[in-house]
Amino acid sequence: MKAKLKEIFLFKDLDDNTLDKIAKITSILRLSKDNILFYEGEESKFLYLLTKGIIKVYKTSSNDKEIILKYFHANEFIAEVANFENIAYPATAQCFIDSEVLKIDFFKLKEIIYSNPKLAFVIQTSLIKKIRNLEKLVSLHIVLDSKERIAKYIYEQPEQFFNTKNIIIAEILNISPETLSRMLKGFKDEGIIDIKNKTINKEKLEDIFRLQK
């Protein structure tokens, strides 16, 4: 577990003693597509860190319709605000694809955080990053059109793009599969992406959405 923690950017610079303490209160969850990580209203006893896959967090409306709040990718905490505010999880977290998650006992982690300023700073930085990601999410779905949205996603998540089915990417970006296919064909024809060799032209992708950055 200690070796696993060292692979994660949040913990990689911590001293061995602190890593040992965190390793003792951490377990690995390997979940299949559609598995539930936690339900809305469930007590937030654990801090979850996604290491592989995609987790979607959603609320359910009165007519049983899913309202997607966010898709989480590798190296992101999931709904950690609930942990720090000591409230129940405000939404349900479900595996969008097969995923791997680190499950950390938050009560015991707090004791480690209080005694380690460096770790406290790392956690604070992660929360700030989450705010920035929220701002990006607003931009992604409100300001950008479909083409810009796709270009930005490929630019920021190239590995995820090449390893995720188009129908899933379309759902993440809230566009139709037909629109995605049409746009990707255009990107391929213009030499912006190469599906076979799994390469992208970041400069050209950035040109598409840079005015909205």
Side-chain angles (χ1 to χ4, degrees):
M1 180 60 71
K2 184 176 174 181
K4 186 76 174 176
L5 291 172
K6 281 189 173 182
E7 295 174 1
I8 299 167
F9 79 99
L10 289 167
F11 303 130
K12 65 183 179 66
D13 294 325
L14 296 179
D15 60 88
D16 285 344
N17 183 47
T18 302
L19 283 172
D20 284 333
K21 291 178 181 178
I22 298 174
K24 289 177 182 178
I25 60 171
T26 302
S27 58
I28 298 177
L29 300 179
R30 293 183 176 88
L31 306 168
S32 300
K33 182 181 184 297
D34 294 331
N35 281 173
I36 298 294
L37 182 62
F38 55 77
Y39 287 96
E40 179 179 353
E42 189 176 314
E43 188 178 355
S44 55
K45 293 181 179 180
F46 301 98
L47 181 65
Y48 294 104
L49 178 64
L50 181 61
T51 54
K52 294 178 184 177
I54 302 173
I55 298 284
K56 72 174 179 179
V57 172
Y58 67 91
K59 295 179 75 71
T60 305
S61 66
S62 57
N63 60 354
D64 292 329
K65 181 180 179 182
E66 283 188 7
I67 302 171
I68 307 297
L69 301 180
K70 188 178 187 315
Y71 288 90
F72 289 84
H73 296 81
N75 287 324
E76 285 190 281
F77 282 125
I78 303 170
E80 75 275 19
V81 173
N83 299 108
F84 286 98
E85 292 192 349
N86 194 28
I87 60 174
Y89 293 118
T92 298
Q94 183 179 35
C95 294
F96 196 60
I97 60 175
D98 291 352
S99 303
E100 180 183 273
V101 178
L102 294 188
K103 178 182 178 182
I104 307 171
D105 186 314
F106 185 69
F107 180 78
K108 293 178 180 177
L109 179 64
K110 279 198 299 184
E111 296 176 353
I112 300 173
I113 293 173
Y114 292 153
S115 63
N116 191 306
K118 188 170 187 177
L119 179 58
F121 178 76
V122 169
I123 298 295
Q124 181 185 45
T125 301
S126 174
L127 290 171
I128 293 172
K129 182 180 178 182
K130 185 62 63 67
I131 294 172
R132 289 176 178 168
N133 284 341
L134 180 59
E135 292 172 346
K136 285 183 180 180
L137 186 67
V138 172
S139 173
L140 186 65
H141 291 286
I142 296 178
V143 179
L144 305 184
D145 63 24
S146 296
K147 184 176 182 179
E148 292 165 339
R149 216 180 300 169
I150 295 166
K152 192 173 180 67
Y153 179 81
I154 298 172
Y155 180 91
E156 295 181 344
Q157 303 281 349
E159 184 176 350
Q160 198 73 55
F161 166 70
F162 286 118
N163 292 290
T164 304
K165 293 180 179 178
N166 283 358
I167 192 169
I168 294 178
I169 295 173
E171 184 173 339
I172 290 174
L173 297 178
N174 194 28
I175 59 178
S176 70
E178 294 77 15
T179 297
L180 177 63
S181 294
R182 186 173 67 254
M183 294 294 180
L184 291 181
K185 183 180 184 305
F187 287 177
K188 285 186 282 186
D189 291 344
E190 294 174 38
I192 296 174
I193 60 174
D194 185 330
I195 300 296
K196 182 178 179 181
N197 295 310
K198 295 187 176 182
T199 59
I200 63 174
N201 186 317
K202 297 197 74 171
E203 200 172 292
K204 287 186 177 180
L205 285 170
E206 190 174 18
D207 283 342
I208 295 172
F209 66 84
R210 64 179 176 179
L211 295 179
Q212 303 290 352
K213 286 181 67 178

